[in-house]
Amino acid sequence: MNTLALILIAALSAAWGVHTVWMSRRLRTARRDPLTGLWTRDAFTRQARRLLRNRHAVVVLADVDRFKQVNDTHGHAAGDALLAITATRLTHAVGRSGVVGRLGGDEFAAVLVDRDGTAADQLAVLGRILARPIETAPEVHTSVSLGWVRRADHPNEDLSALLQRADEAMYAAKRTPATVRRAALGRLLASVTGRRPGRRSTA
């Protein structure tokens, strides 16, 4: 094989390597929400299902309270900053062994592994942390309602059903002074496939 052929092969190999890296980066970017850096719904779903193989898993649903009011009063820049700091605080609380995703709008979901049985205390602390003002917009005062459910309490249910339970608990938290509520045992109040109007399901 002559020198020119070797050069061409080397050039093609290098070009293919660059293309592969570029495609990998594009794929990772597509799986991340551009505002918060969290996993998008599909990417979150894949990782959450994997974590749910662990019986100690806990599913959490979080929703920013009065988010429309924040946007209307302080502007969309303040609303975006609130979403970004909420994502950062959730990610820090869940840790490297869990996963956090933005399901859309001001709704977030997370799955964490609660090996020591302290999820209730951890989430109570998280609720207070999420209610703190953000440095870039200290005039913005709101809270984040959290609903959660233990995987072990419903071992035969899939991610969609567990999110529904967490969703119902979260709405119960919004109706009471508490910002954190654990899902009740028993049947779902709504069907798994038919969440409340305006809420999106995750299969």
Side-chain angles (χ1 to χ4, degrees):
M1 186 176 295
N2 59 39
T3 303
L4 180 59
L6 291 173
I7 292 173
L8 286 173
I9 291 172
L12 288 171
S13 297
W16 179 252
V18 171
H19 177 73
T20 300
V21 170
W22 178 79
M23 287 296 293
S24 297
R25 288 177 178 171
R26 285 290 300 273
L27 186 59
R28 286 196 298 271
T29 301
R31 292 175 179 171
R32 293 284 187 176
D33 173 59
L35 175 62
T36 63
L38 296 180
W39 296 111
T40 57
R41 177 182 290 272
D42 289 344
F44 166 79
T45 298
R46 285 192 293 271
Q47 297 186 57
R49 284 173 174 163
R50 175 177 53 82
L51 288 175
L52 286 177
R53 298 170 188 165
N54 190 317
R55 64 182 303 274
H56 298 292
V58 170
V59 176
V60 183
L61 203 64
D63 192 86
V64 179
D65 299 324
R66 302 177 297 280
F67 183 66
K68 184 179 184 301
Q69 181 180 335
V70 170
N71 275 334
D72 292 345
T73 304
H74 304 286
H76 289 280
D80 288 349
L82 177 59
L83 292 177
I85 194 64
T86 298
T88 299
R89 290 168 175 174
L90 279 169
T91 300
H92 179 75
V94 168
R96 297 174 63 89
S97 61
V99 60
V100 184
R102 183 185 180 194
L103 301 187
D106 58 338
E107 185 178 68
F108 303 86
V111 177
L112 57 94
V113 179
D114 180 35
R115 294 186 177 87
D116 54 5
T118 60
D121 293 334
Q122 291 179 26
L123 293 172
V125 172
L126 175 60
R128 294 193 291 271
I129 291 173
L130 292 173
R132 294 175 182 170
I134 57 178
E135 293 181 1
T136 56
E139 72 282 4
V140 177
H141 296 282
T142 189
S143 57
V144 178
S145 294
L146 300 172
W148 64 282
V149 59
R150 288 190 185 279
R151 170 51 157 171
D153 290 343
H154 308 279
N156 298 319
E157 293 187 355
D158 62 7
L159 176 62
S160 181
L162 293 171
L163 281 173
Q164 178 67 48
R165 290 184 181 277
D167 183 61
E168 291 176 352
M170 183 190 70
Y171 267 87
K174 283 183 179 292
R175 294 191 297 267
T176 64
T179 58
V180 182
R181 181 67 67 90
R182 181 177 178 178
L185 296 174
R187 68 181 182 84
L188 286 166
L189 299 180
S191 67
V192 172
T193 56
R195 301 179 75 192
R196 291 180 180 83
R199 315 295 298 184
R200 289 182 290 270
S201 64
T202 297

